[in-house]
Amino acid sequence: MSTLPGFLSVRVLRGVNLVSRDAKGSDPYVVLNLDGQKLKTGVMKKTVNPVWNEDLTLAVKNASTPIKLEVFDKDTFSKDDQMGDAEFDIEALMQIIQMDLEDIRSGTVVRTVRPGSHCCLADESHIIWENGQVVQDLLLKLRNVETGVVHLQLRWVSIPG
């Protein structure tokens, strides 16, 4: 599937019940990877329930390419510890963006994406038409760890013309 020219704004909202990697609590941060782009949030000190509320923007070339999310524990004197990872794609979001939604009431759920064996969704993900924008909330269950969920909000930013 080809994409419309634009950017994906990923708001990294929070982590829930992340695994603890240090005796005094973890210092988590999130890394997003897509097509050679690598973006990081700030580090939240001594918590397994961080609230980042940070926007990271990725240039999207192909909507079928999965976006990789990794959570790390920042360490001062050693390599940062991995706290889990997840992958998600934006194909469903891109399908909705190409629809004419101007006559739909703000706050309307346009589509629901359900968790499955092929994705890291922890719960249903709603794609909503909100104030003239398509928005998708995601709860991602982290892999390769005992526990942890990361909450994201996706928005597509079109390039005019």
Side-chain angles (χ1 to χ4, degrees), residues 20 24 37 43 97 104-105 113 130 142 146 152 159:
S20 183
K24 294 184 274 177
Q37 301 166 82
V43 175
I97 285 164
I104 294 177
R105 186 172 49 88
V113 181
E130 185 177 277
L142 296 175
E146 305 79 43
L152 306 176
I159 297 173

Side-chain angles (χ1 to χ4, degrees), residues 17-104:
N17 201 22
L18 301 180
V19 65
S20 183
R21 291 293 187 218
D22 293 328
K24 294 184 274 177
S26 294
D27 302 321
Y29 65 94
V30 171
V31 177
L32 292 178
N33 290 289
L34 174 66
D35 290 330
Q37 301 166 82
K38 186 175 183 176
L39 302 173
K40 296 194 294 190
T41 65
V43 175
M44 295 291 123
K45 298 286 185 186
K46 295 183 175 50
T47 182
V48 293
N49 295 296
V51 176
W52 289 284
N53 204 24
E54 287 186 44
D55 290 315
L56 304 175
T57 303
L58 295 164
V60 176
K61 297 174 189 160
N62 185 342
S64 63
T65 303
I67 299 168
K68 184 168 185 179
L69 175 144
E70 297 173 287
V71 182
F72 292 95
D73 171 36
K74 181 72 175 166
D75 287 329
T76 305
F77 300 110
S78 62
K79 185 176 181 229
D80 293 352
D81 300 315
Q82 188 162 30
M83 297 176 68
D85 65 90
E87 281 188 353
F88 62 97
D89 68 59
I90 60 167
E91 287 187 89
L93 181 72
M94 295 307 296
Q95 290 170 4
I96 301 303
I97 285 164
Q98 295 181 43
M99 297 170 58
D100 180 16
L101 302 173
E102 293 301 322
D103 295 331
I104 294 177

